[in-house]
Amino acid sequence: ATHGRLPSNVMRLPRRLLWTTALSVTRDYPLLGIGPDNFRHIYGRYLKLVAWDTRVHANNTYLEVLAGTGIAGLAAVAWLMAAAFRAAWRGWRVTAADDLPLYAAVVAACLAITVHGLVDSFFSFTPTYVVFALTAGLMFSPAVLKSESTAALVRSVYANRV
C-alpha cells in the first residue's frame, strides 16, 4: 500500500532485459553516462515502450552506475571498492584474535552487499545505502577495533588515505 500502484499498461520486465538496456545506454553515452539515477527515466524509450514504471532500476548496481555515470563513474566505484578491500585485508591481518569474529562479521556483511549488487540496484534507496555506510564504517570503528594494532590500522588508513 505504501508503494502505490503501477502505472497502467506497464509490465514487469525481466532482469536480463534491463541489463541489456543499461549496456545499450552505455554504448550511447560511454564516458559520463546519462546522469546518476536517470536510467529509470529513459529505459522505456530504449525498449520502445509507451509507458513505463519510473521506479524501476537496472537491477544491477554496477550496470546502474555504468549507465548513469559512464566508464568514469564505474572506474571511480572500482577504485573505491579496491581501496576498501585493501583496507579490509590490512585490518584482517592486524586485528586481535578477540576482535576477529566481529571484524569478520562486518567484512562479510560488506561482501554480501557487494555481491548482492550484481542482481539488484539498491544504493538509490536511503535505508539501504545508510545500512551499507554504517556497515562499512564499522570496519574502522574504534568501538569494533579495540586492540592497539587495529587502532594503528585506523590511524594509518586515515594518514595514507587508503
Side-chain angles (χ1 to χ4, degrees):
T2 61
H3 295 291
R5 298 175 57 80
L6 288 175
S8 60
N9 299 327
V10 174
M11 65 184 116
R12 294 263 184 213
L13 298 170
R15 183 172 279 136
R16 186 176 183 150
L17 184 59
L18 292 169
W19 292 352
T20 57
T21 304
L23 291 172
S24 295
V25 169
T26 301
R27 275 191 293 279
D28 290 346
Y29 303 92
L31 188 58
L32 298 175
I34 55 169
D37 198 32
N38 280 328
F39 175 80
R40 64 193 180 98
H41 295 293
I42 60 98
Y43 78 92
R45 283 187 233 147
Y46 276 80
L47 297 173
K48 300 188 181 0
L49 299 175
V50 176
W52 60 87
D53 186 356
T54 59
R55 298 172 298 175
V56 170
H57 293 269
N59 279 336
N60 180 308
T61 296
Y62 311 105
L63 290 177
E64 182 85 24
V65 168
L66 185 60
T69 61
I71 295 167
L74 189 61
V77 168
W79 174 85
L80 181 63
M81 290 174 65
F85 285 125
R86 278 194 310 274
W89 178 249
R90 276 187 264 165
W92 183 264
R93 290 188 359 233
V94 300
T95 298
D98 291 346
D99 295 338
L100 272 179
L102 182 57
Y103 191 78
V106 169
V107 170
C110 287
L111 284 174
I113 292 168
T114 301
V115 172
H116 183 72
L118 293 169
V119 293
D120 198 0
S121 179
F122 50 82
F123 282 126
S124 54
F125 306 107
T126 304
T128 309
Y129 70 71
V130 167
V131 167
F132 178 73
L134 291 172
T135 304
L138 283 172
M139 281 198 302
F140 302 106
S141 169
V144 173
L145 305 170
K146 295 177 282 196
S147 71
E148 183 54 38
S149 60
T150 53
L153 167 73
V154 172
R155 286 191 297 275
S156 74
V157 165
Y158 286 112
N160 296 328
R161 305 274 192 236
V162 181

